[in-house]
Amino acid sequence: MTKRPFSKGDHVRWNSEAGHVSGTIIRVVTSQIQFKGYTVHASEDEPQYEIQSDTTEHIAMHKGSALRRLAHTA
């Protein structure tokens, strides 16, 4: 079993057309699914992550390679 680099609840940042965006992972996807009309090719070895933006209600799906973990702030 491969250790996933990210987990549900992790605070992450990614690059979008509008610049850097941050949000919280709300689901780890490990099998092929449909998302917003697209097929997400996720697997146990290469999971993808459903993330809710910190600033909007927008939900995005990203590969782990596109994400950077943000430090927890107290």
Side-chain angles (χ1 to χ4, degrees):
M1 183 171 138
T2 304
K3 181 182 181 327
R4 294 188 190 122
F6 302 101
S7 301
K8 183 177 176 180
D10 284 353
H11 196 219
V12 294
R13 178 177 171 163
W14 67 97
N15 228 349
S16 76
E17 301 82 24
H20 286 98
V21 180
S22 61
T24 302
I25 294 175
I26 57 175
R27 178 167 65 144
V28 177
V29 179
T30 57
S31 60
Q32 183 172 302
I33 64 165
Q34 293 294 311
F35 180 77
K36 296 185 177 182
Y38 294 94
T39 300
V40 174
H41 298 282
S43 67
E44 283 288 338
D45 289 334
E46 293 190 32
Q48 293 204 30
Y49 302 92
E50 190 171 344
I51 309 158
Q52 183 167 15
S53 169
D54 287 339
T55 56
T56 67
E57 295 296 315
H58 182 76
I59 304 293
M61 185 78 65
H62 291 290
K63 293 181 179 182
S65 60
L67 304 175
R68 298 292 172 256
R69 189 179 327 273
L70 295 175
H72 291 283
T73 54

